[in-house]
Amino acid sequence: MGELGICEVGGDGVVGNFLGLGIGLSQIGEMIPSDLQAMNFPGLASFEEDDHGMIRLAITSPKANAQIYLHGAHIVHFQPIGVAPVLFLSEESGFVSGQAIRGGIPICFPWFGGREGYPESPAHGFARTMDWEVESLSVDGDQAILVILKLESNEATRAEWPHEFVVRCHVFVGMWLVMLLEVENTGESEMTFEEALHTYFAVEDVREVLVRGLENAGYRDKTDGLASKMQGADPLRFTGETDRIFENTAAKCEIEDGVTGRRITVNKSGSLTTVVWNPWIEKAQKMKDFGDEEWRRMVCVETANAGVNAVTIGPGQKHSIRVVISPGPSPSP
Ligand code: BG6
């Protein structure tokens, strides 16, 4: 059994059958490297090239459809069969090397927001703008898909951050989306990092949305010079730009869309920070890769470890953060 509770099955047999049908790999995708083509499970999970020349894993299983880019290990689409898409993706997003995709689930690592003391460093770290490797792709008996992507320290990461690491992102696509980010310190000194699964949820109208689970929690307000504040006893509602870093909270959150009645649960472990963000009108207008009106259709509820919850691990140690996203009832993480 794999770490997420599914059996790991190699792709060779399926590819063998596929080849047995007399279809040559060169016809599957001209630009997809042969090692990735060999991992495909035709009809369920295949690597493909998008219109911008970027490689993504397209999942079309009996459980859900999903798309995951190697660029940033970035999930841009998750839609269990029979329900509306769970993630928001901006129509203005660039799909360009070196730039983060706007929407879906960017991975922030090894820092969250601006890097303290390094104003020239990229916001939210470098993980979301780098190409990740595919370590494995597997299918369980229930036809849920597990893909593991990997980012290792290299010359480019060392130029930004002087640490040796391996980060693995496990993505499980079934009726629920499970994402596990495991950071391993492969160097010889301690390392401290921040991280976030910066999830953009699709909603009909953010003004009709409630986020439950953060009642009476403390937060730092990024719209007010990081002032320390307390959330009241009521669920969080949106009436203007919202950018709150809730610290020391392991709570499960529920996003209730008042227009559709849908309730998405965000159930996490290994994370003590939850960030809630909506840019509202003015900030949306200033963002080049975001439509002026798109603020209405999204809300970010981010599973993170940031600020006082930054993580320190010694040589050889690992730390994992996990989230289970469900448009209906979900299992415990
Ligand atoms: C949120 C931050 O997590 O991400 C916001 O709290 C920020 O302050 C937002 O504006 C988007 O960041 P970026 O770098 O993707 O534009």
Side-chain angles (χ1 to χ4, degrees):
M1 289 289 250
E3 200 164 352
L4 294 167
I6 74 167
C7 298
E8 302 205 359
V9 181
D12 290 348
V14 176
V15 173
N17 291 340
F18 188 64
L19 291 172
L21 295 174
I23 302 167
L25 281 176
S26 60
Q27 289 163 262
I28 303 170
E30 293 293 337
M31 300 301 291
I32 307 297
S34 55
D35 56 333
L36 291 183
Q37 290 186 16
M39 291 186 192
N40 285 348
F41 288 90
L44 287 178
S46 298
F47 292 96
E48 62 179 27
E49 199 192 10
D50 77 354
D51 295 343
H52 314 273
M54 289 186 139
I55 298 176
R56 66 187 176 200
L57 175 66
I59 295 173
T60 48
S61 83
K63 302 272 175 195
N65 292 330
Q67 287 177 357
I68 303 161
Y69 278 76
L70 305 198
H71 179 67
H74 200 133
I75 305 173
V76 298
H77 178 58
F78 170 60
Q79 182 172 24
I81 301 304
V83 306
V86 174
L87 303 177
F88 164 89
L89 176 65
S90 171
E91 286 170 16
E92 305 295 324
S93 178
F95 287 84
V96 184
S97 182
Q99 195 180 306
I101 297 167
R102 177 68 67 193
I105 313 185
I107 295 175
C108 307
F109 173 84
W111 55 86
F112 176 81
R115 185 179 175 202
E116 222 177 300
Y118 297 84
E120 73 291 348
S121 292
H124 290 323
F126 46 70
R128 64 177 181 165
T129 55
M130 292 194 145
D131 289 335
W132 291 49
E133 277 171 47
V134 181
E135 198 166 72
S136 68
L137 175 63
S138 53
V139 177
D140 76 358
D142 245 358
Q143 300 202 308
I145 312 291
L146 173 66
V147 58
I148 303 176
L149 298 140
K150 184 172 84 169
L151 180 70
E152 276 184 87
S153 45
N154 56 44
E155 221 171 283
T157 68
R158 281 176 211 120
E160 288 285 352
W161 197 59
H163 293 284
E164 299 301 310
F165 62 85
V166 179
V167 183
R168 285 190 175 80
C169 176
H170 301 233
V171 180
F172 173 85
V173 177
M175 289 301 291
W176 305 282
L177 178 68
V178 184
M179 200 173 169
L180 179 141
L181 194 76
E182 177 198 81
V183 179
E184 180 179 357
N185 181 349
T186 54
E188 286 171 5
S189 56
E190 255 188 6
M191 72 187 206
T192 298
F193 60 90
E194 297 177 299
E195 58 190 341
L197 307 176
H198 189 311
T199 314
Y200 288 72
F201 290 97
V203 294
E204 280 298 313
D205 186 342
V206 72
R207 294 166 298 184
E208 304 293 331
V209 165
L210 290 181
V211 176
R212 299 180 203 279
L214 298 167
E215 297 79 17
N216 302 312
Y219 67 90
R220 288 187 301 132
D221 190 344
K222 280 183 95 173
T223 69
D224 188 11
L226 287 174
S228 291
K229 299 185 181 175
M230 286 294 286
Q231 183 67 32
D234 293 328
L236 200 162
R237 287 174 187 275
F238 298 84
T239 55
E241 184 185 348
T242 304
D243 198 350
R244 300 183 183 180
I245 303 178
F246 290 88
E247 293 169 333
N248 302 318
T249 174
K252 171 167 96 177
C253 287
E254 186 179 78
I255 301 160
E256 184 179 325
D257 188 330
V259 178
T260 60
R262 172 151 94 166
R263 292 178 176 200
I264 300 173
T265 54
V266 183
N267 206 349
K268 63 178 192 168
S269 61
S271 152
L272 285 175
T273 306
T274 296
V275 180
V276 179
W277 179 61
N278 180 284
W280 218 253
I281 303 167
E282 275 179 40
K283 192 161 180 187
Q285 288 168 352
K286 287 185 194 145
M287 289 160 61
K288 288 200 187 90
D289 57 351
F290 191 83
D292 286 358
E293 302 297 328
E294 287 187 323
W295 61 274
R296 297 171 201 267
R297 298 199 289 109
M298 54 70 66
V299 63
C300 287
V301 176
E302 309 169 31
T303 298
N305 284 308
V308 295
N309 301 130
V311 176
T312 300
I313 51 176
Q317 289 185 326
K318 291 181 184 175
H319 177 272
S320 296
I321 185 171
R322 171 148 66 167
V323 68
V324 181
I325 293 170
S326 162
S330 77
S332 307

